[in-house]
Each structure stands twice: as structure tokens, then as C-alpha cells.
Amino acid sequence: MTEAPAGEDAEGRVLDAAEELFYAHGLQAVGMDALRTASGVSLKRLYRLFPSKEALVEAYLRRRDERWRAALAAYAGARPAGRERLLAVFDWLGTWFAEPGFRGCAFVNSFGELGASSPGVAAAARAHKDAFRRYLAGLVAETGAPAHLTDHLLLLAEGAITTAALSGAAAPAHQAREAALVLLDAA
């Protein structure tokens, strides 16, 4: 197999292929040969970059976490601080749920597949959920609502993600937003 021109980032191409294939098909269903083909990177180079599939899965999850949280923060950050910014989280979720190929949370999916046998995958999933919780806690603090509201809103968001993945509909984001508004008003 011929490698792509040297100027292209082989690691980035492998991670792009991993993100597309792992998210669409699952971690265990995608082999290194499929990643080689999709990325245009030789198997030898792929293993130099990522000595094992587990190392590649962990790198994929780290990059997905960074991208997911950055996209959410950019969307919500464009809204006025306070309630609007907090509720924008649920609006962003609805946009994400409506994307073609939405399959739910990559971290929950990965944990379900390999969390029991891969400490790295389990750690990446926990780190992602902890970071999301911290982000929500900051938004809750901006509203002046009690800190305990964070966990309630986290459960609404996580439940919406799972429900949207199972139902194939974006409506759970709107429903979770309405429930978040009730909680905010009650706080």
C-alpha cells in the first residue's frame, strides 16, 4: 500500500479514521486493517504511531473528548451567561442528536464494550463524564442556583443522550431542556 504524501499528518488521518469507524461500528467490530485502509497509512506506520489497538482507542477517546467539549463550550459560550448559557447545553445536544449517524455517547458505548476489560477505556469514559459535570457545575454557578442542581442537570443531559440514541430522535434534548427549566425555576 502506498502512503499518502509525507506532508500529511499520518496520526491525524488514523485518528480521523478511528473516530469515524469506531463511532459508527463500535470498537470491537473495527480491525486495524480497516483503519489502515480508511486512513491510507500503512499497517507498519499505524503500529509505529499506536503500538496496540488499545492505545489507538484511548487516543481516539481523548481526542473525541477534547472536540466534544470544545464544540459544546463554543456553542454555549456564544450565549449570554446565566440561564441562557446553561439551557444552551440542551439546545446543543438537540443539534448533535439530529446529526446523521448519531449513535449516542462514544464514551458510554466504549465503556459498554470494553470498560470491564480495559482500564484505559474506563478511565477515559470517567474522565469525560467528570469533565462534563465540572462544565455544568460552572454553568450552574453562573446562574446562582444551588450547586446540587448540577447532578440533576447532568442526569437530564445523560438521560437525553441515551434516549436519543435509542429512539433515533432529537426530541429528548427538548424534553430535557424543559425539565431543566423547571428545576432552575424551582431553585
Side-chain angles (χ1 to χ4, degrees):
M1 166 172 235
T2 306
E3 292 240 270
E8 292 186 29
D9 177 22
E11 183 175 347
R13 290 194 325 272
V14 171
L15 287 171
D16 288 345
E19 185 157 4
E20 180 181 331
L21 294 174
F22 287 156
Y23 187 69
H25 304 290
L27 304 176
Q28 296 181 76
V30 177
M32 296 301 264
D33 284 336
L35 291 163
R36 175 200 65 205
T37 300
S39 67
V41 173
S42 72
L43 205 52
K44 182 178 178 180
R45 177 77 173 127
L46 197 156
Y47 276 110
R48 261 189 271 139
L49 293 167
F50 303 99
S52 67
K53 185 175 177 182
E54 186 166 347
L56 176 56
V57 167
E58 290 173 20
Y60 146 69
L61 290 172
R62 280 190 303 274
R63 187 171 89 156
R64 183 156 180 107
D65 170 61
E66 291 168 6
R67 289 178 168 190
W68 189 92
R69 290 188 300 117
L72 171 58
Y75 184 93
R79 306 311 182 272
R83 290 168 67 100
E84 279 190 59
R85 187 170 295 164
L86 178 57
L87 293 171
V89 168
F90 297 95
D91 297 335
W92 181 81
L93 289 175
T95 301
W96 177 39
F97 300 168
E99 289 179 1
F102 171 75
R103 285 194 65 243
C105 177
F107 300 90
V108 169
N109 296 345
S110 297
F111 185 83
E113 279 194 71
L114 297 178
S117 62
S118 172
V121 168
R126 286 185 189 105
H128 173 74
K129 296 306 180 183
D130 289 345
F132 183 39
R133 186 193 182 287
R134 285 190 307 274
Y135 179 71
L136 283 176
L139 296 178
V140 167
E142 283 181 5
T143 69
H148 72 270
L149 190 61
T150 298
D151 290 324
H152 302 158
L153 296 173
L154 180 65
L155 287 173
L156 285 174
E158 293 295 336
I161 294 168
T162 301
T163 303
L166 293 173
S167 69
H174 178 71
Q175 294 158 344
R177 186 187 198 281
E178 288 176 349
L181 192 53
V182 169
L183 289 172
L184 281 167
D185 287 344

